[in-house]
Amino acid sequence: MIMVRRRARPAKESKDTHGGAAIPEGQPLNAAAAVAGSLLEDQYFASPKRKDCRLMKASENLNLPEATAANRGHHHHHNHNNNKDSKAAGRTIGVPLATRSQTRTIENFFKANAAAAKHTTNSVATSTNHHQAEQKTIDATGETEEELKLQDEDEEQLHLQLADADEELKLSDEQLNEELQQVVEELLFDGSSTASSTSPCPYQHEVAAMQKIQEIQDIQEMHEIHEIQEVLGTMADFQTHRSTLRDSHSSTHSSSTDNIFLQEPVLTLDIDRTPTKASSIKINRSFEVAGGVFSSPPSVLNACVLNGRFNQIVSLNGQREEPVLPLPNFEVDQHDTSSCDSGVACGLTAATESPAPGAGAVRRRKPATPHRILCPSPIKTALKVTAGGGLISKGGGGGGNTDPLSPRKSPRKLPATTAAVAACKSRRRLNQPKPQAPYQQPQQPQLKKPPPQQQQQQQDDIVVVLDDDDEDEEEDEDDCHALMKAAEERENQNKAPVTANNSNNKVGIMGVKAMLKPPPVSKTKARSKGPAKGQLPPLPLAATNGNREMTDFFPVRRSVRKTKTAVKEEWMRGLEQAILEERCEGLEVRHFMGKGRGVIAERAFKRNEFVVEYVGDLISISEASEREKRYALDENAGCYMYYFKHKTQQYCIDATVDTGKLGRLINHSRNGNLMTKVVVIKQRPHLVLLAKDDIEPGEELTYDYGDRSKESLLHHPWLAF
Amino acid sequence: MFEARLGQATILKKILDAIKDLLNEATFDCSDSGIQLQAMDNSHVSLVSLTLRSDGFDKFRCDRNLSMGMNLGSMAKILKCANNEDNVTMKAQDNADTVTIMFESANQEKVSDYEMKLMNLDQEHLGIPETDFSCVVRMPAMEFARICRDLAQFSESVVICCTKEGVKFSASGDVGTANIKLAQTGSVDKEEEAVIIEMQEPVTLTFACRYLNAFTKATPLSTQVQLSMCADVPLVVEYAIKDLGHIRYYLAPKIEDNET
């Protein structure tokens, strides 16, 4: 599914932007698809992709007629599909190559290379890919139109090629280094995952080189599209010789003289390729074939292996490229690891225009973290380059992101520790390796010329990297998408592949995540259950399995303890309740000799227990004084005025009137067994008599009236007791 | 001030081993009469009741009742630091949030003490009523452990059927069925190896093997195990701790579909 999505998106993009170029590519691709040879097919596919890319770019540059564009678009779709198929099945199996189309393209490339060689010896190496692309385009579209355009372009290309030649020379050196690294890496990859660590360096170099090449290509495309067209025209001429050229192409490509031609087409190709990862992968394979690998079809297998490594290699290449690039700007970028690309871009920009800085930014991004950086950076760079300074700035931001990529690497390594991680890595590797292999191979053979191709490949690799990155961080992808949106047609093209890649990546990521997640979860579960509880965890299960619980048989002892406040609140509620009920239970009125009526307890009262309320009229002090004067006239009136103070206010409860309530009948004792307490109910204070201590049944209830005045004592001598 | 001293750390080690698989943490209730622990496992299917009498300790002092919530895993770790022959002393202040466990070698040349944080555990305490069990089976602890281990291979649950003739443990699962019958030993030459059944009326109950296997972790504490059963009442598996007390496991019976 992923592959399909990628292909479809890139194809669409290519149609929209580079419709003309697509057609030629599609034809070769279809042919390649038809062919079943796995190794050869892979190589061919790689080449067709490259060709397609190149063709697309060329077509765009040439401004081919709409009809041709539409045709190209269809071809692109086919190509993409083929590429996808080749990626999906082809990686393992070997894509059935449309040998015819591929061969044609190759021949065209060779022819182009030859022409390029004639024009400029340096461009030969780069021409292989370009030639193929050009040939494809030529085949698809009217060769005549292309030729016309190509002628114009050829002139431009010559100029560009001159500038590029120098760059290509540098790149070729870098590529050689990268190729060596890649080979080492491939070996390492074959051996074990650990090899990947080494491989990154070559990858980076390659990536950087690719980026540089791409930048150069972009620049060339911008200025020299016409030249490409011219080359295409020449390619068309050569097409007759394609078959022979195909075989020779690898060798011719290996010769770096044709680089200029190749580079220009490569630039266009790069754009197309970036959009379609699958195509890029195929191209890479073809590059490999073209390069030293070409001689040995089995190299495809190596390429596959390499592909996995390629991602790493790409990162490594980017690093290496940085040093290789002589450009001052590049040197600055090199610190970032993408300096090489940036340097190339700078050089190109100096020669051409603004796109260089964007490329530099892209390059920077790539170096920082091979996978992440590469994927986003290429797309971003291409977009940025096309878009201009603003885009470039974004690319720089992307570059900043790439720096974080290093952390990404570490996380990847970390996951490797776990089996799930390993699985993820294996997937990543699988995805990456395919693109990588092509990159490596093409870079080596093409040298200077390959750089553009390499750039394209790098873009593809980058895309692959993005997949990895996506797994690691989807945000980067989003950023890329945003950049893509901002970018123009090229950007759109790039976006389509990127999105496809992202979708693929996401799917892959999802799978990877799923893979990753389950193991850790199981581990955690095992840990928690196994060591901690041991038997306990199963126990609950048993309980759930129809086992009864102990609480079904034994009552839980609930603590009766209550906090002080809770106890007090409860007690107060009890008092209020008693007052409202006018409770007077367990009391009995009895006559005592010498003091009249009194109250005894019929039952035991516990300490602080409510006994009875002192019921009477609540009156103010002034009212009390008046009543007291009145009562003073009546000697039979007892002492029933209870004065108390509550909340700073003096109250009096007058119980002189015999209401039958028992509270007023309780006698005085300075050592009574009751105490009074004020309880406020509904804003009205009540006087309550509580048991000061535990009271036994039959005890007389008494409390201290508290009146110590001499006058009272004089009239009521019993107050003294 | 709480202080309890045991002559041999191995006993405490065995006690911890016997309960730490069922309980993650538990509260040791220390009083003048000794140390008690009661806790249910997480699933509330089983209950552990540990009683260590104060007179079983070499030295025991408990001025105020003290509840020490302990993480049993941590406690077991500390006890691993003790040699079997070491004297072990547990000490705690009245309102302390830590307990000190001290190990002294027999010759007093090595003294190591460990301080462990206490926990405030909010655990439910169950009131266990006195029960007249229909069947009480005493059998060698090793034999019971072996039976539980063997039957656990066949089924999650084991049926214990106790009759006058003897006690039958049976399990049936996908593999097949397993039955182990133990008859009451006629002549009691060795009390340790005797199977003694006191039965008022026959009982058949089903229990979860996992819990029974957890109970058998206490096997090192005692040569004999006592199973007390009564219909619709939890099984009591009691291991006596010589001179010190006992550890009782209560296991709720499974809800029996087969009973009908």
Side-chain angles (χ1 to χ4, degrees):
Chain A
M1 294 301 293
I2 296 168
M3 295 300 289
V4 174
R5 291 178 183 175
R6 290 178 181 176
R7 292 174 184 175
R9 291 180 182 177
K12 292 178 181 178
E13 291 177 353
S14 63
K15 289 178 182 178
D16 295 342
T17 58
H18 306 283
I23 295 170
E25 292 176 354
Q27 292 175 348
L29 292 174
N30 292 337
V35 177
S38 64
L39 298 177
L40 295 175
E41 289 174 356
D42 292 344
Q43 293 175 351
Y44 286 104
F45 281 103
S47 64
K49 292 178 181 178
R50 293 176 183 175
K51 291 177 182 178
D52 293 345
C53 294
R54 293 174 184 174
L55 293 173
M56 293 297 289
K57 291 179 180 178
S59 64
E60 292 176 355
N61 293 336
L62 293 172
N63 299 327
L64 295 174
E66 294 176 354
T68 59
N71 292 335
R72 291 177 182 177
H74 294 289
H75 292 289
H76 287 290
H77 291 288
H78 294 290
N79 292 337
H80 292 290
N81 293 334
N82 292 337
N83 292 336
K84 292 176 180 179
D85 295 340
S86 65
K87 289 178 180 178
R91 291 178 182 177
T92 56
I93 300 169
V95 179
L97 297 177
T99 53
R100 295 176 184 175
S101 64
Q102 292 178 349
T103 54
R104 290 177 185 176
T105 57
I106 295 167
E107 290 175 354
N108 292 334
F109 285 104
F110 286 107
K111 293 175 183 179
N113 291 338
K118 292 176 182 178
H119 295 286
T120 59
T121 57
N122 292 338
S123 64
V124 174
T126 58
S127 64
T128 57
N129 295 333
H130 295 290
H131 289 296
Q132 293 175 350
E134 291 175 355
Q135 290 173 353
K136 292 178 182 177
T137 56
I138 293 165
D139 294 342
T141 61
E143 291 178 354
T144 58
E145 292 177 353
E146 290 178 351
E147 289 176 354
L148 292 175
K149 294 177 180 177
L150 291 173
Q151 290 174 353
D152 295 342
E153 292 177 353
D154 289 345
E155 293 176 355
E156 293 177 354
Q157 288 177 348
L158 293 174
H159 298 286
L160 293 174
Q161 288 174 351
L162 293 175
D164 293 345
D166 295 340
E167 295 176 351
E168 288 176 352
L169 292 173
K170 296 175 182 178
L171 293 173
S172 64
D173 293 342
E174 295 176 351
Q175 290 175 348
L176 291 173
N177 295 335
E178 292 176 354
E179 290 176 354
L180 294 174
Q181 294 176 346
Q182 290 176 349
V183 172
V184 175
E185 292 175 352
E186 290 177 355
L187 294 174
L188 294 174
F189 283 105
D190 293 343
S192 63
S193 63
T194 56
S196 64
S197 63
T198 58
S199 61
C201 297
Y203 285 108
Q204 292 176 349
H205 292 288
E206 291 177 354
V207 174
M210 293 296 290
Q211 294 174 347
K212 292 178 180 178
I213 294 166
Q214 291 174 350
E215 292 176 353
I216 294 167
Q217 291 175 350
D218 294 342
I219 296 166
Q220 291 175 351
E221 290 176 355
M222 294 296 290
H223 298 286
E224 297 175 356
I225 296 166
H226 298 286
E227 291 178 355
I228 295 168
Q229 293 175 349
E230 291 175 355
V231 174
L232 293 174
T234 57
M235 293 297 291
D237 295 341
F238 290 99
Q239 288 175 349
T240 57
H241 303 283
R242 290 175 184 173
S243 62
T244 57
L245 291 175
R246 292 175 184 173
D247 297 344
S248 65
H249 283 299
S250 61
S251 62
T252 56
H253 291 291
S254 63
S255 65
S256 63
T257 56
D258 294 343
N259 290 341
I260 296 169
F261 292 98
L262 294 174
Q263 289 174 348
E264 293 174 355
V266 169
L267 293 173
T268 57
L269 291 173
D270 291 345
I271 295 167
D272 294 343
R273 290 173 183 176
T274 55
T276 59
K277 294 176 181 178
S279 64
S280 65
I281 295 169
K282 293 177 182 178
I283 292 165
N284 293 335
R285 292 178 183 176
S286 65
F287 282 104
E288 294 174 354
V289 174
V293 178
F294 210 84
S295 61
S296 62
S299 65
V300 174
L301 296 175
N302 295 338
C304 293
V305 175
L306 293 174
N307 289 341
R309 298 172 182 175
F310 268 100
N311 295 338
Q312 297 174 346
I313 294 168
V314 172
S315 64
L316 294 174
N317 292 339
Q319 294 175 350
R320 293 178 183 177
E321 288 177 6
E322 293 177 356
V324 174
L325 296 175
L327 297 176
N329 293 339
F330 290 109
E331 291 174 353
V332 173
D333 294 345
Q334 288 175 352
H335 295 287
D336 296 345
T337 63
S338 60
S339 61
C340 295
D341 295 345
S342 65
V344 174
C346 293
L348 294 173
T349 55
T352 60
E353 290 178 358
S354 64
V362 173
R363 292 171 185 176
R364 292 177 182 177
R365 294 175 183 177
K366 292 177 180 179
T369 49
H371 299 286
R372 295 179 181 176
I373 295 166
L374 292 174
C375 297
S377 62
I379 298 167
K380 292 178 180 178
T381 55
L383 295 173
K384 292 176 180 178
V385 172
T386 57
L391 294 175
I392 295 165
S393 65
K394 292 178 179 178
N401 293 339
T402 57
D403 294 343
L405 293 178
S406 61
R408 294 177 182 176
K409 292 178 180 178
S410 63
R412 291 177 183 176
K413 292 178 180 178
L414 295 175
T417 57
T418 62
V421 173
C424 296
K425 287 182 177 178
S426 64
R427 291 181 181 179
R428 294 176 183 174
R429 290 175 184 173
L430 293 175
N431 294 335
Q432 295 175 351
K434 294 177 182 178
Q436 291 175 349
Y439 291 113
Q440 294 175 349
Q441 292 176 350
Q443 290 176 350
Q444 293 175 351
Q446 292 176 352
L447 297 176
K448 293 179 181 178
K449 293 179 179 177
Q453 294 176 349
Q454 289 176 350
Q455 291 176 349
Q456 294 175 349
Q457 293 174 352
Q458 290 174 349
Q459 292 176 347
D460 295 346
D461 292 349
I462 293 166
V463 173
V464 174
V465 172
L466 289 176
D467 292 345
D468 295 344
D469 293 348
D470 292 348
E471 293 176 354
D472 294 346
E473 297 177 356
E474 292 178 355
E475 294 178 354
D476 294 347
E477 292 178 355
D478 295 344
D479 296 344
C480 295
H481 291 291
L483 294 173
M484 295 295 288
K485 292 177 180 177
E488 294 175 357
E489 290 178 356
R490 291 179 182 177
E491 294 176 354
N492 292 337
Q493 292 176 349
N494 293 335
K495 289 177 181 179
V498 171
T499 55
N501 292 335
N502 292 342
S503 64
N504 294 336
N505 293 337
K506 289 178 179 179
V507 174
I509 293 166
M510 293 298 291
V512 173
K513 289 179 178 178
M515 295 296 289
L516 292 174
K517 291 179 179 179
V521 173
S522 62
K523 291 179 180 178
T524 56
K525 290 180 179 177
R527 292 175 184 175
S528 63
K529 291 180 178 178
K533 296 180 179 178
Q535 295 178 347
L536 291 178
L539 295 178
L541 294 176
T544 57
N545 294 342
N547 214 327
R548 298 193 202 175
E549 296 189 2
M550 296 306 294
T551 50
D552 295 342
F553 302 95
F554 301 143
V556 176
R557 287 180 180 169
R558 301 291 181 186
S559 171
V560 189
R561 288 184 184 175
K562 296 168 188 170
T563 60
K564 260 186 182 176
T565 55
V567 172
K568 192 173 184 180
E569 286 175 3
E570 193 173 336
W571 177 63
M572 289 299 293
R573 276 199 300 276
L575 290 182
E576 293 174 6
Q577 185 69 22
I579 293 168
L580 294 174
E581 291 176 359
E582 297 183 351
R583 189 186 298 168
C584 53
E585 300 167 350
L587 302 178
E588 183 181 347
V589 178
R590 188 173 292 184
H591 281 272
F592 293 92
M593 290 299 291
K595 45 180 186 179
R597 287 180 295 179
V599 178
I600 63 168
E602 279 189 334
R603 64 174 177 93
F605 288 90
K606 289 186 177 179
R607 188 176 175 222
N608 287 333
E609 187 178 353
F610 171 87
V611 177
V612 74
E613 182 191 357
Y614 188 87
V615 181
D617 300 331
L618 182 67
I619 55 177
S620 64
I621 292 297
S622 57
E623 174 71 9
S625 61
E626 290 181 7
R627 289 192 183 189
E628 199 156 330
K629 290 177 185 174
R630 199 166 3 120
Y631 295 148
L633 301 177
D634 184 1
E635 290 185 355
N636 292 330
C639 303
Y640 299 102
M641 305 290 284
Y642 200 118
Y643 295 92
F644 64 96
K645 192 176 180 181
H646 176 63
K647 289 187 177 175
T648 72
Q649 190 169 355
Q650 199 78 25
Y651 295 95
C652 178
I653 288 180
D654 178 12
T656 307
V657 178
D658 188 354
T659 58
K661 300 294 183 186
L662 299 180
R664 60 187 288 276
L665 299 178
I666 297 173
N667 290 319
H668 164 82
S669 169
R670 295 184 69 167
N671 296 312
N673 50 14
L674 300 180
M675 60 183 177
T676 56
K677 177 177 176 59
V678 177
V679 177
V680 177
I681 298 175
K682 294 179 183 174
Q683 311 290 323
R684 189 172 183 275
H686 294 258
L687 273 178
V688 174
L689 295 170
L690 307 176
K692 191 189 285 182
D693 285 312
D694 291 347
I695 299 172
E696 297 299 321
E699 266 187 71
E700 185 188 3
L701 301 175
T702 56
Y703 67 98
D704 187 356
Y705 285 8
D707 191 348
R708 304 282 191 268
S709 62
K710 289 181 179 179
E711 189 180 0
S712 297
L713 282 173
L714 188 65
H715 292 88
H716 308 286
W718 44 266
L719 284 174
F721 302 99
Chain B
M1 179 69 177
F2 164 77
E3 183 175 356
R5 177 188 169 97
L6 269 177
Q8 286 192 320
T10 180
I11 295 176
L12 205 52
K13 282 186 176 185
K14 288 175 183 173
I15 291 171
L16 257 294
D17 287 342
I19 60 176
K20 72 180 170 62
D21 282 349
L22 275 173
L23 310 173
N24 291 327
E25 58 263 330
T27 301
F28 288 80
D29 295 313
C30 305
S31 67
D32 196 20
S33 60
I35 299 173
Q36 284 201 313
L37 176 151
Q38 191 206 78
M40 287 183 287
D41 72 291
N42 286 342
S43 60
H44 288 197
V45 169
S46 66
L47 178 142
V48 180
S49 174
L50 170 70
T51 300
L52 304 175
R53 293 189 305 273
S54 58
D55 54 15
F57 290 88
D58 293 353
K59 179 184 179 183
F60 191 89
R61 173 188 170 190
C62 186
D63 300 338
R64 280 185 68 176
N65 289 356
L66 184 65
S67 290
M68 299 188 295
M70 294 186 192
N71 182 311
L72 296 180
S74 305
M75 180 75 168
K77 284 181 184 175
I78 289 174
L79 288 173
K80 279 184 181 176
C81 301
N83 292 319
N84 285 342
E85 293 75 21
D86 285 354
N87 285 322
V88 58
T89 305
M90 296 173 64
K91 287 188 288 189
Q93 299 300 319
D94 282 343
N95 284 320
D97 57 356
T98 60
V99 61
T100 301
I101 300 169
M102 184 171 69
F103 305 123
E104 297 170 282
S105 63
N107 55 11
Q108 302 290 320
E109 285 178 350
K110 177 184 176 185
V111 177
S112 50
D113 58 276
Y114 302 85
E115 191 170 283
M116 182 176 67
K117 290 177 184 171
L118 294 176
M119 309 167 71
N120 191 5
L121 299 175
D122 185 19
Q123 289 185 331
E124 291 177 325
H125 201 266
L126 298 186
I128 302 173
E130 289 287 328
T131 305
D132 292 331
F133 291 98
S134 304
C135 293
V136 177
V137 178
R138 278 196 293 274
M139 57 188 292
M142 289 293 291
E143 189 64 49
F144 179 65
R146 178 71 187 269
I147 290 168
C148 293
R149 193 189 69 197
D150 291 347
L151 294 186
Q153 301 176 103
F154 294 89
S155 175
E156 284 184 358
S157 58
V158 58
V159 178
I160 302 177
C161 178
C162 186
T163 62
K164 217 180 273 183
E165 289 73 30
V167 60
K168 183 178 78 173
F169 302 85
S170 55
S172 63
D174 297 337
V175 175
T177 61
N179 291 290
I180 299 172
K181 291 179 187 174
L182 290 179
Q184 184 163 329
T185 50
S187 60
V188 182
D189 294 340
K190 297 179 181 176
E191 287 186 7
E192 299 175 353
E193 297 175 0
V195 176
I196 300 167
I197 299 172
E198 298 171 7
M199 191 202 75
Q200 267 79 44
E201 54 184 272
V203 171
T204 300
L205 292 171
T206 306
F207 301 101
C209 277
R210 287 170 177 171
Y211 291 92
L212 292 177
N213 275 315
F215 298 166
T216 58
K217 301 294 181 189
T219 301
L221 283 170
S222 178
T223 55
Q224 284 262 311
V225 61
Q226 175 174 300
L227 310 179
S228 303
M229 289 170 285
C230 189
D232 207 27
V233 164
L235 164 75
V236 183
V237 180
E238 176 177 336
Y239 293 88
I241 304 171
K242 191 181 180 186
D243 298 332
L244 193 58
H246 60 258
I247 182 169
R248 284 178 181 156
Y249 299 97
Y250 295 81
L251 177 59
K254 294 195 83 167
I255 297 167
E256 267 298 337
D257 296 338
N258 300 335
E259 286 179 0
T260 60

